[in-house]
């Protein structure tokens, strides 16, 4: 059934069919689950990881240096700990004013494409500042990062390989610059850690690429998916406009109802029930977030929903999204700013969608302020 997800705008009927087969099912020789309890358990179970027992990674190799997203403990723990200070709640609070100013500056036009004109530039500006990427390079980084992210579940193209080479070259230049002139940014802190032999140069490069892509790709889709959900549910949009303090609640319901990342994989490191060592399981996070056994009236978009237990949009366990606090803050600022500046916002043309089964979101959404 998984092959039916390709090119499908609405994957949820397929998810329902898979979940109806039980907590864990075989699909063309692959284990798959859309059950919330099973997904959550596997994500937290240290008997599962992202690599095979011989240490190899099942994804593509050679495109870019691997990041901690593709590693298991103890390497994952070591690398994540080095990047974590930049995403602490205290540090994210320092960026709030900057995010609000950027959001305000992007909303001057009467008609625009929500993705190209707002949802993408906002997180790009923030992650560029966090990493210390010069303004002159932010556009290139965003374009290249978008192509690399597309390689997660699409055939490799010459454009993707060129993008990887360009990103690598740009980061090499910035790393050399920080070695000579350290600053108060993530690249500088990681360069210092590399000098202290806390990580290798390939690990440094892999971490930066991950932070670049994860720092804007998922947030772009959080904002785009959220605005579309609000405009498609006028009563929810009206409720939010009347109560803008509900922005964090809107973010959580968007993450549950239309998460940016819909699936991930885990590999058994030993025999676990029916799953043999080195067998993969596809975890359908998008399906788990609409599990009716966990979320009452699960297919209803409800910004007043009590999010208990927490959705799995940011995964769970040791690979819980490092940038979750940043994404939540950016999403809340984006929705609140739109509600205040454009209360009569409406869709002004047909939306187009990304061709991906992993990262789901809009490629474009024409909107008008009235």
């Amino acid at each position: 059934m998984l092959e039916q997800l390709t090119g499908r705008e609405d994957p949820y009927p397929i998810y329902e069919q898979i979940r109806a087969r039980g907590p864990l099912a075989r699909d063309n020789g692959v284990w798959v689950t859309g059950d919330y309890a099973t997904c959550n358990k596997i994500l937290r179970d240290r008997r599962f990881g992202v690599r095979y027992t011989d240490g190899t990674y099942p994804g593509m190799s050679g495109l870019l240096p691997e990041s901690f997203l593709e590693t298991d403990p103890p390497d994952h723990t070591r690398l994540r700990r080095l990047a974590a200070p930049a995403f602490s709640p205290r540090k994210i609070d320092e960026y709030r004013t900057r995010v609000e100013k950027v959001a305000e500056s992007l909303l001057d036009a009467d008609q625009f494409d929500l993705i190209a004109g707002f949802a993408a530039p906002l997180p790009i500006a923030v992650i560029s500042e966090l990493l210390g990427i010069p303004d002159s390079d932010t556009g290139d980084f965003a374009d290249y990062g978008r192509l690399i992210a597309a390689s997660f579940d699409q055939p490799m193209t010459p454009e993707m390989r060129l993008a990887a080479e360009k990103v690598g070259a740009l980061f090499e230049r910035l790393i050399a610059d920080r070695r000579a002139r350290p600053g108060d940014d993530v690249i500088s802190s990681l360069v210092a850690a590399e000098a202290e032999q806390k990580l290798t140069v390939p690990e440094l490069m892999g971490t930066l690429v991950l932070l670049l892509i994860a720092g804007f790709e998922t947030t772009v889709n959080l904002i785009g998916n959220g605005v579309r959900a609000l405009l498609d549910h006028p009563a929810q949009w009206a409720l939010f406009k009347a109560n803008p303090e509900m922005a964090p609640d809107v973010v959580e319901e968007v993450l549950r109802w239309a998460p940016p990342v819909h699936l991930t994989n885990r590999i058994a490191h030993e025999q676990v029930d029916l799953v043999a060592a080195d067998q993969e399981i596809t975890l359908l996070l998008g399906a788990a977030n609409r599990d009716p056994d966990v979320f009452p009236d699960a297919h209803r978009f409800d910004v007043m929903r009590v999010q208990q237990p927490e959705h799995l949009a940011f995964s769970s366990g040791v690979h819980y999204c490092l940038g979750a606090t940043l994404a939540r803050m950016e999403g809340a600022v984006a929705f609140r700013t739109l509600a205040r500046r454009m209360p009569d916002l409406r869709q002004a043309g047909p939306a187009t969608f990304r061709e991906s089964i992993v990262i789901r979101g809009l490629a474009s959404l024409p909107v008008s302020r009235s």
Side-chain angles (χ1 to χ4, degrees):
M1 288 185 182
L2 292 178
E3 69 277 2
Q4 298 178 40
L5 295 173
T6 303
R8 191 183 184 97
E9 177 184 332
D10 181 7
Y12 291 97
I14 301 297
Y15 292 164
E16 291 298 325
Q17 294 177 44
I18 293 173
R19 188 165 47 237
R21 296 171 59 186
L24 194 63
R26 294 286 277 179
D27 184 72
N28 288 333
V30 177
W31 289 107
V32 61
T33 180
D35 176 76
Y36 179 95
T38 304
C39 286
N40 193 37
K41 180 180 179 181
I42 291 171
L43 289 169
R44 293 174 177 271
D45 193 332
R46 293 299 184 94
R47 295 175 295 176
F48 291 90
V50 297
R51 289 178 174 265
Y52 294 116
T53 53
D54 65 2
T56 59
Y57 184 70
M60 293 174 298
S61 60
L63 181 62
L64 284 166
E66 293 172 343
S67 70
F68 57 81
L69 191 66
E70 291 98 33
T71 60
D72 291 320
D75 286 337
H76 173 271
T77 307
R78 170 177 57 86
L79 294 171
R80 183 184 174 104
R81 185 176 294 129
L82 292 172
F87 296 90
S88 68
R90 179 189 62 80
K91 195 71 174 177
I92 298 308
D93 275 342
E94 294 177 4
Y95 284 98
R96 187 180 303 275
T97 300
R98 166 65 171 158
V99 175
E100 291 171 342
K101 288 181 179 179
V102 173
E104 290 281 347
S105 70
L106 294 170
L107 295 179
D108 291 330
D110 291 331
Q111 290 190 337
F112 58 102
D113 182 86
L114 182 89
I115 306 304
F118 184 71
L122 178 60
I124 288 168
V126 176
I127 196 64
S128 295
E129 184 168 323
L130 190 149
L131 291 175
I133 298 171
D135 290 343
S136 57
D137 289 323
T138 56
D140 288 340
F141 269 107
D143 292 339
Y144 299 149
R146 193 173 296 111
L147 281 169
I148 295 169
S151 70
F152 291 166
D153 64 348
Q154 296 179 33
M156 185 59 54
T157 66
E159 290 79 11
M160 291 175 184
R161 293 195 180 279
L162 179 60
E165 293 174 4
K166 294 290 187 180
V167 166
L170 285 167
F171 270 132
E172 286 175 359
R173 172 166 57 81
L174 292 175
I175 288 169
D177 178 72
R178 296 311 191 279
R179 286 196 176 111
R181 293 175 292 277
D184 182 22
D185 55 65
V186 174
I187 296 179
S188 295
S189 66
L190 290 175
V191 165
E194 184 268 328
E196 297 171 6
Q197 299 185 335
K198 294 180 179 179
L199 78 169
T200 66
V201 172
E203 288 173 338
L204 166 59
M205 184 72 76
T207 299
L208 292 176
V209 173
L210 170 64
L211 296 181
L212 169 67
I213 297 172
F216 77 85
E217 268 296 303
T218 52
T219 308
V220 170
N221 293 295
L222 163 61
I223 296 171
N225 293 351
V227 171
R228 181 170 181 252
L230 288 165
L231 296 183
D232 284 349
H233 297 81
Q236 298 291 300
W237 178 228
L239 174 64
F240 172 48
K241 288 187 293 183
N243 301 275
E245 71 279 1
M246 292 178 60
D249 301 311
V250 173
V251 169
E252 297 308 316
E253 180 63 350
V254 171
L255 287 167
R256 183 199 70 84
W257 193 78
V261 179
H262 270 234
L263 64 86
T264 188
N265 293 320
R266 289 295 182 268
I267 301 169
H269 287 170
E270 60 184 73
Q271 179 84 34
V272 183
D273 299 327
L274 297 175
V275 185
D278 281 335
Q279 284 189 328
E280 290 188 56
I281 301 179
T282 296
L283 310 176
L284 298 174
L285 307 180
N289 282 350
R290 294 200 191 184
D291 188 336
D293 290 338
V294 177
F295 303 102
D297 202 2
H299 289 292
R300 180 166 59 91
F301 180 69
D302 180 6
V303 298
M304 295 189 68
R305 184 184 299 273
V306 176
Q307 299 289 344
Q308 292 292 336
E310 184 182 345
H311 54 73
L312 299 179
F314 290 127
S315 189
S316 188
V318 298
H319 281 280
Y320 187 84
C321 178
L322 180 63
T325 301
L326 176 62
R328 283 178 161 124
M329 184 269 283
E330 289 180 291
V333 169
F335 297 144
R336 190 184 301 115
T337 305
L338 280 166
R340 181 176 57 81
R341 289 282 304 276
M342 297 186 168
D344 298 320
L345 187 71
R346 63 177 182 82
Q347 188 169 333
T352 60
F353 299 85
R354 298 174 58 119
E355 294 184 5
S356 171
I357 66 171
V358 177
I359 299 178
R360 286 194 173 268
L362 297 163
S364 65
L365 180 65
V367 293
S368 172
R369 68 168 59 239
S370 62

